[in-house]
Amino acid sequence: PTFNDADAAEVHHRQYFEVFGHRAIYADGWWASAHHGGVPWAIGVGQDTPDFADDVWELYHLDTDFSQAHDLAAEHPEKLAELTDLFRAEAERVGIWPMHDTRDHRGQPPRPPLSEGRTSFRFHPGAVGFPENQAPKLVGRSWHLQARVEVRAGRTRGVIMTMGGRPAGLALWLDEGAVPVFDHHTFEYGRLILRGEPLADGERVIELVCHYRGPGWAKPADFTLIVDGEVVAEGSVQLTPPVFFSIDETFDVGATHGSPVGDYPAHYPFVDGSLRWVDIEIDGG
């Protein structure tokens, strides 16, 4: 409505927020929020997680203080109590109460690990949406991928495997001309693209070999793209992610579940051919 009238009345009256235990509630111009310790750019690298009872709630009146410069919690304790009660009601409504910080596993029932203790994996098309911490660990170690595909020359296209997304990730896919392409980038630092030749009709074996120059975090890595046993492209990156590619993108086979890593459309399923399977062997170090 404000596009047509800058003084139009508000139509969105309530909104809750929660990520990693950080939480907030907005209601009719007021905002209450509680920071739950740590900083977002260090997620997953050993931060202490406080008890929820120790978090401090802040209160802001956005109608007069849109930049949240003046904490009014001490001046309006009754409004703060009203909003924290409203947050709990919203959290119960959407099923996130009692609160749980996913960074902290203390006192939580064990969750079945999909990749822990394993170095050998086989995936089929449709294996999409794996959180990175449940997928084969492709950061900080060497690994070898092998995909078996049935190709129609000049027509087969789509994602074979992808990890991460647009900010950082890696992906192997066939472009619109059935050319195998590998793309790896580590945030803004740099990007590597390996490209083969158009694939001929029939069953092909595409391999990707990563040699990690460790030990240690964020070391360089060398990549080799192989088709039917022959090396078609090689290259290196001088920096790899220290812990993971992303906290919200995923590992996918046969399509992209999140944002595209490479220069291909969103989703980009494997079509006009057949993706039989994708095998991944990782260094157990």
Side-chain angles (χ1 to χ4, degrees):
T2 55
F3 285 2
N4 297 319
D5 178 7
D7 297 322
E10 183 175 14
V11 296
H12 191 80
H13 298 283
R14 181 181 302 178
Q15 178 69 51
Y16 87 96
F17 164 88
E18 189 275 330
V19 173
F20 291 124
H22 309 299
R23 55 209 187 275
I25 184 74
Y26 169 82
D28 296 316
W30 289 86
W31 171 278
S33 60
H35 182 259
H36 190 54
V39 291
W41 52 87
I43 296 296
V45 291
Q47 298 184 88
D48 292 331
T49 53
D51 291 331
F52 285 103
D54 295 332
D55 293 342
V56 177
W57 281 86
E58 302 172 7
L59 177 69
Y60 301 96
H61 191 201
L62 302 188
D63 288 349
T64 59
D65 179 24
F66 74 93
S67 63
Q68 301 179 358
H70 306 289
D71 181 4
L72 302 177
E75 297 177 41
H76 299 284
E78 72 293 338
K79 174 58 74 171
L80 180 61
E82 174 189 330
L83 289 178
T84 54
D85 287 346
L86 180 59
F87 174 84
R88 174 165 180 168
E90 289 292 285
E92 289 177 338
R93 179 182 65 83
V94 299
I96 63 167
W97 191 273
M99 297 294 299
H100 169 54
D101 181 352
T102 54
R103 299 170 298 177
D104 181 12
H105 300 289
R106 295 174 296 177
Q108 298 297 320
R111 299 175 180 179
L114 301 180
S115 60
E116 184 177 324
R118 298 180 58 187
T119 59
S120 180
F121 303 83
R122 171 164 289 190
F123 296 97
H124 296 275
V128 298
F130 284 77
E132 193 169 334
N133 64 356
Q134 295 292 315
K137 184 170 177 58
L138 304 183
V139 170
R141 66 192 60 202
S142 299
W143 48 270
H144 179 191
L145 177 149
Q146 186 179 87
R148 189 172 294 274
V149 299
E150 184 74 26
V151 173
R152 294 182 181 180
R155 296 179 57 184
T156 305
R157 62 194 183 279
V159 166
I160 296 173
M161 182 279 292
T162 179
M163 172 85 82
R166 183 67 72 188
L170 56 84
L172 176 65
W173 78 96
L174 300 186
D175 71 8
E176 298 293 330
V179 173
V181 184
F182 171 68
D183 196 329
H184 180 291
H185 53 105
T186 304
F187 309 105
E188 295 85 2
Y189 185 81
R191 186 175 186 181
L192 170 68
I193 299 176
L194 302 181
R195 185 179 297 272
E197 299 294 331
L199 298 180
D201 278 333
E203 193 168 86
R204 310 264 77 89
V205 176
I206 303 172
E207 297 176 78
L208 190 62
V209 178
C210 169
H211 173 67
Y212 182 70
R213 292 189 241 154
W217 289 4
K219 300 299 183 181
D222 306 311
F223 293 93
T224 305
L225 180 62
I226 303 168
V227 176
D228 293 336
E230 295 188 8
V231 173
V232 297
E234 296 178 283
S236 301
V237 295
Q238 297 308 306
L239 178 73
T240 54
V243 181
F244 41 63
F245 285 106
S246 169
I247 63 173
D248 58 351
E249 300 279 5
T250 56
F251 170 82
D252 308 301
V253 171
T256 293
H257 187 70
S259 64
V261 173
D263 296 325
Y264 52 83
H267 192 51
Y268 203 46
F270 198 91
V271 297
D272 278 342
S274 178
L275 174 57
R276 307 292 195 201
W277 40 254
V278 173
D279 282 350
I280 298 177
E281 300 282 341
I282 63 173
D283 186 338

